[in-house]
Amino acid sequence: MNMKKRIISLVCIAALSLGLFAGCGKKQEATTEAPADGKKEIVIGFSMDTLKEERWQKDRDILMARAQEKGVKILIQAANGDDNKQIAQAENMISQGVDVLMVAPHNAEVAATIVESAHAEGIPVLSYDRLIKNADVDLYVSFDNEKVGNLQGEYVTKMNPKGNYVYIGGAPTDNNAHLFKKGAMDVLKPFIDNGDINLVYEQMSKDWQPSEAQKHMENALTANKNKVDVVICANDGTAGGAISALAEQQLSGKVPVTGQDAELAACQRIVEGQQVMTVYKPIPKLAETALDLAIKMAKKEEVKTNSTVANGKIDVLSYLLEPVVVDKDNMMDTIIKDGYHPFEEVYKNIPEDERPAK
């Protein structure tokens, strides 16, 4: 042993004997400060399309509460409909070394870039509620979104199996919007084919904007001289826009309108008779299930799924939850019973002597 190596060796031995440092002579690896129990903190990133809608604010709040309950850290950023911003925010979380990245994409196609960036750093991606298209997504957690459309179509065809129908969809960039429409059209097709239902107008609504839906409804009423018998709206926001247009023609409450998401305003419209139904997708169950599965992914534990969904590139392993029809008759047994909205808020415009018993 030459003199230089001998000196280094003696220094290492002395330092170790004094407990000054460990690993002398070895390459030191960067480490993350661990909690008191010695385990590395799990960090989940969540890239959201928007926080402009009540529904997505609920997702955020429930995920934050669940993360605290489970003792993990969650980073949440929302792009509010800006694709470039969402990509930049996701890449920021990737650079911070999140263990798993959850993504609710604004644009199902563009978000494939996020998956590629995450995978390049060895980070798995969970597609949250909305499916990312044409990418090697690791897991998809959502509701059976074609069934959402089925439920809307089945509800109104039982009410009005004949007549002029209008379909107002969601954002063309959101894969879920296409699934909702497919589900509804699968139900309507036999009625259309035998001539009982005339689909007199159908349009998608940019970024799910109620103002877009209102314009579509105005155009549909003008084109058909107000002779519209049913309006299927893909969510409650678009339903609100359509109902505003119907109200201008004194048709609110006379033409059945569907929705989805069980937003407070929609639940109020239902008990007041302006909207016939919504599809309730219990957000607490979705958010809590997604976070629990993301934690399993972070720990590299087995993740149980119950379906696969094709995204144009692969059949994505999926965990799909069941949506529920809510109307005036079962509002108490669903929305109120689950504590999703307070009784007093849902029925605030209903005279007390006409409200159901708590």
Side-chain angles (χ1 to χ4, degrees), residues 44-346:
I44 309 295
F46 185 28
S47 170
M48 302 182 71
D49 164 27
T50 184
L51 280 172
K52 291 181 178 179
E53 295 175 22
E54 172 196 304
R55 175 262 151 100
W56 290 104
Q57 294 166 16
K58 283 184 175 289
D59 290 76
R60 175 201 58 195
D61 295 346
I62 295 164
L63 282 164
M64 290 175 67
R66 187 65 165 186
Q68 185 173 15
E69 178 186 333
K70 291 291 183 176
V72 302
K73 184 176 181 179
I74 187 164
L75 307 176
I76 300 177
Q77 290 191 301
N80 291 328
D82 185 326
D83 290 329
N84 291 329
K85 187 175 182 180
Q86 184 166 31
I87 291 171
Q89 289 175 339
E91 289 179 345
N92 176 261
M93 285 186 274
I94 291 167
S95 71
Q96 293 184 58
V98 295
D99 295 290
V100 176
L101 182 63
M102 304 198 317
V103 182
H106 169 253
N107 186 309
E109 301 279 353
V110 173
T113 302
I114 295 173
V115 179
E116 292 176 8
S117 297
H119 283 178
E121 298 299 326
I123 298 170
V125 177
L126 185 157
S127 193
Y128 182 94
D129 195 47
R130 298 175 177 177
L131 184 63
I132 299 172
K133 300 280 285 184
N134 297 311
D136 293 312
V137 178
D138 298 280
L139 182 65
Y140 174 46
V141 182
S142 186
F143 290 87
D144 185 337
N145 291 309
E146 282 193 31
K147 188 168 183 179
V148 170
N150 291 159
L151 294 173
Q152 292 176 328
E154 289 165 1
Y155 193 97
V156 289
T157 52
K158 286 178 183 176
M159 289 185 69
N160 289 45
K162 296 182 179 181
N164 290 343
Y165 272 54
V166 169
Y167 186 87
I168 298 177
T173 56
D174 182 351
N175 188 63
N176 282 4
H178 298 284
L179 295 176
F180 301 147
K181 183 177 179 180
K182 182 181 184 303
M185 292 304 165
D186 285 347
V187 174
L188 298 187
K189 189 175 186 303
F191 295 87
I192 294 171
D193 289 346
N194 67 21
D196 286 338
I197 287 176
N198 296 313
L199 188 62
V200 296
Y201 188 93
E202 60 175 305
Q203 277 291 341
M204 304 292 272
S205 306
K206 181 182 176 183
D207 292 338
W208 294 95
Q209 294 176 12
S211 57
E212 287 283 309
Q214 182 171 348
K215 290 176 186 175
H216 293 323
M217 192 69 245
E218 289 168 352
N219 292 340
L221 290 169
T222 299
N224 294 280
K225 299 179 180 178
N226 283 4
K227 293 181 180 179
V228 171
D229 299 295
V230 171
V231 182
I232 299 179
C233 290
N235 79 340
D236 291 332
T238 52
I243 289 168
S244 293
L246 288 167
E248 291 174 0
Q249 302 300 318
Q250 289 76 52
L251 293 173
S252 176
K254 298 177 182 178
V255 177
V257 179
T258 73
Q260 178 216 171
D261 285 337
E263 290 188 353
L264 176 59
C267 292
Q268 291 169 340
R269 290 194 297 264
I270 289 170
V271 299
E272 293 165 19
Q274 300 169 50
Q275 183 173 323
V276 293
M277 61 87 79
T278 187
V279 179
Y280 174 40
K281 301 190 302 186
I283 302 305
K285 192 169 185 180
L286 170 66
E288 291 172 3
T289 298
L291 191 73
D292 291 354
L293 292 176
I295 292 170
K296 284 183 176 291
M297 294 168 75
K299 293 180 176 179
K300 296 181 169 48
E301 296 177 353
E302 180 185 3
V303 174
K304 293 183 179 180
T305 59
N306 59 14
S307 186
T308 60
V309 178
N311 77 344
K313 184 175 184 180
I314 63 170
D315 290 331
V316 183
L317 291 173
S318 305
Y319 194 98
L320 303 181
L321 303 164
E322 287 291 310
V324 179
V325 167
V326 171
D327 61 12
K328 190 174 183 178
D329 294 333
N330 71 343
M331 184 69 69
M332 291 293 296
D333 293 330
T334 53
I335 302 300
I336 305 303
K337 183 178 179 181
D338 288 357
Y340 194 70
H341 295 306
F343 175 91
E344 290 75 13
E345 287 298 311
V346 171

